[in-house]
Each structure stands twice: as structure tokens, then as C-alpha cells.
Amino acid sequence: MFIETERLRIEPLGFDEFAQLDGVDSNTREAMNGLYSSRPNGSDFFWYSYWKISLKSDREHVGGFCFMSEPSPTGAVEIGYGIDEKYQGHGFMTEALSAIADFAKGRGVKIMTAETEKDNSASQSVLKKCGFVLDKENNGNILLFCKIIN
């Protein structure tokens, strides 16, 4: 299973594949280890996986994405993402997030949410370009964005 866009290949990794992946910071690695271990029996693995974002041209790993769990009964799911610093500013995450929203819609997702820090204008810009709107501010520094998927 994978998603392709004009420039990217996005694929969920199993735990062993993720463990061997280079270029993942320690915070992401710790969070993903928790997500992998939280997967309920019988659930689709891709809801609890690190999705590797690579360039189609040379398979270079440029970033990653994850769903934080399966969608809620109302079809809501939270996402997390990041692009390696040297690949920022090229529209890769905007391209990936648009394709991921289409993938999620096909699996019953009706609402996607994402948190970002108040001073992370690049992340806010990605979310806005992908149709997310500011929903609320948490704890003074965290912004919650929401996207209704039609």
C-alpha cells in the first residue's frame, strides 16, 4: 500500500522498517514507538504507522506523517507530520497532506485535525493551503487546526 503524487511516494512502514529508518529525530522515534505499541488487535496497521515520505525520483526520505489513531465514531482523526529541514520550502508537505486527505476520505474520515505551535508559521501555512482552518488555541502556545473532508 502506498500513495503517489506528482513528486512523492508516501508509504506506511511496519515497526521493523521504521526502526531501521535513518533521519528520524528522537522525539518522533519515541512518539512513533508509542503509537506502534498502542495498535489494537484487528485494526488496520496504517492508522498506527509512520508514513515515510520520499521523493519519487530517487526514493530519498524527506519526511513523515502519521495518523494518531483510527478515526473516531464521528470520522475524526488527528494527524502529525514533519519534513526534514533541508527539504522545507519546496511544497512537499502541502503536496503530501493533500494526497493523505484524499486517502483518508476514502476510508471514512470526515474531519482531520492537527496541532502546531503558535510560532510555527510554516506549519500553519501548510495546513491553511490544504484547507485546514484554525479551530482553537490550547495552553496559549498550541493551535488546533481542523479540516472538513467532503
Side-chain angles (χ1 to χ4, degrees):
M1 165 187 301
F2 60 89
I3 302 168
E4 281 194 339
T5 67
E6 181 180 337
R7 302 179 294 167
L8 304 172
R9 180 180 171 103
I10 309 161
E11 57 189 319
L13 301 182
F15 179 77
D16 291 339
E17 293 170 299
F18 174 73
Q20 296 175 18
L21 187 63
D22 291 330
V24 177
D25 66 78
S26 61
N27 290 336
T28 300
R29 194 163 296 280
E30 183 179 334
M32 289 309 307
N33 286 340
L35 188 61
Y36 278 107
S37 66
S38 71
R39 179 179 165 219
N41 288 336
S43 63
D44 289 320
F45 84 100
F46 58 81
W47 296 117
Y48 298 89
S49 298
Y50 179 89
W51 289 66
K52 178 182 170 186
I53 302 172
S54 305
L55 298 176
K56 278 175 43 177
S57 60
D58 61 8
R59 302 293 177 149
E60 180 73 21
H61 175 218
V62 300
F65 156 84
C66 71
F67 295 103
M68 301 298 200
S69 68
E70 293 178 83
S72 71
T74 60
V77 69
E78 183 180 356
I79 60 167
Y81 60 88
I83 287 285
D84 295 346
E85 190 173 334
K86 73 179 187 175
Y87 295 104
Q88 292 176 4
H90 300 283
F92 293 132
M93 188 48 73
T94 301
E95 184 175 329
L97 194 51
S98 294
I100 290 160
D102 288 342
F103 172 87
K105 178 182 177 181
R107 278 140 187 92
V109 172
K110 296 178 179 17
I111 301 169
M112 290 176 66
T113 62
E115 290 184 347
T116 188
E117 294 178 355
K118 194 172 187 176
D119 64 354
N120 191 340
S121 59
S123 181
Q124 293 170 40
S125 178
V126 166
L127 292 169
K128 289 174 184 176
K129 286 178 188 175
C130 292
F132 285 72
V133 295
L134 180 61
D135 187 42
K136 63 182 171 181
E137 188 172 328
N138 295 331
N139 303 324
N141 189 40
I142 302 295
L143 302 177
L144 177 67
F145 282 80
C146 179
K147 176 183 175 82
I148 306 297
I149 300 178
N150 299 331

